[in-house]
Amino acid sequence: MIDNPFSMVVLIVAIIAISRVLQAKYGVVRHGKGETLIQRGPDPETERLRAEVKALKDRVAVLERLATDGSSALEREFEKLRDRG
């Protein structure tokens, strides 16, 4: 079938290259001594943490707004309440 040693080497390299491309396409990741992990799509834990960070950033933004703008607005509200009473 394959008589030439050079063509055998080329064939082996081509097989390895094709397998690496397929591994990259389907998300196969190797860990250490032959352990294989197949990842499909984003990690749910990562997505949960991203959503939590976004929620915390939104809360911090609200707290910053209250801390910087709230004192003058709060004083105006107190004055309105004093004027009513």
Side-chain angles (χ1 to χ4, degrees), residues 33-45:
K33 300 179 180 178
E35 297 176 19
T36 303
L37 172 68
I38 298 176
Q39 295 179 347
R40 297 195 176 149
D43 182 25
E45 180 70 11

Side-chain angles (χ1 to χ4, degrees), residues 4-37:
N4 188 356
F6 177 73
S7 58
M8 227 184 314
V9 171
V10 170
L11 183 63
I12 291 171
V13 171
I15 290 171
I16 291 172
I18 291 170
S19 69
R20 295 292 175 141
V21 168
L22 292 175
Q23 285 177 354
K25 180 179 180 183
Y26 292 110
V28 176
V29 180
R30 292 200 170 266
H31 294 284
K33 300 179 180 178
E35 297 176 19
T36 303
L37 172 68

Side-chain angles (χ1 to χ4, degrees), residues 1-83:
M1 183 171 161
I2 298 177
D3 300 333
N4 188 356
F6 177 73
S7 58
M8 227 184 314
V9 171
V10 170
L11 183 63
I12 291 171
V13 171
I15 290 171
I16 291 172
I18 291 170
S19 69
R20 295 292 175 141
V21 168
L22 292 175
Q23 285 177 354
K25 180 179 180 183
Y26 292 110
V28 176
V29 180
R30 292 200 170 266
H31 294 284
K33 300 179 180 178
E35 297 176 19
T36 303
L37 172 68
I38 298 176
Q39 295 179 347
R40 297 195 176 149
D43 182 25
E45 180 70 11
T46 303
E47 295 301 320
R48 184 189 68 77
L49 290 174
R50 284 185 181 166
E52 186 175 345
V53 167
K54 184 184 180 315
L56 289 173
K57 283 183 179 180
D58 292 342
R59 291 179 73 180
V60 167
V62 169
L63 290 174
E64 286 174 343
R65 184 175 46 84
L66 289 174
T68 57
D69 187 42
S71 63
S72 62
L74 188 59
E75 288 175 11
R76 286 189 294 244
E77 290 297 322
F78 281 142
E79 289 300 320
K80 287 180 188 177
L81 290 174
R82 287 187 191 136
D83 291 340

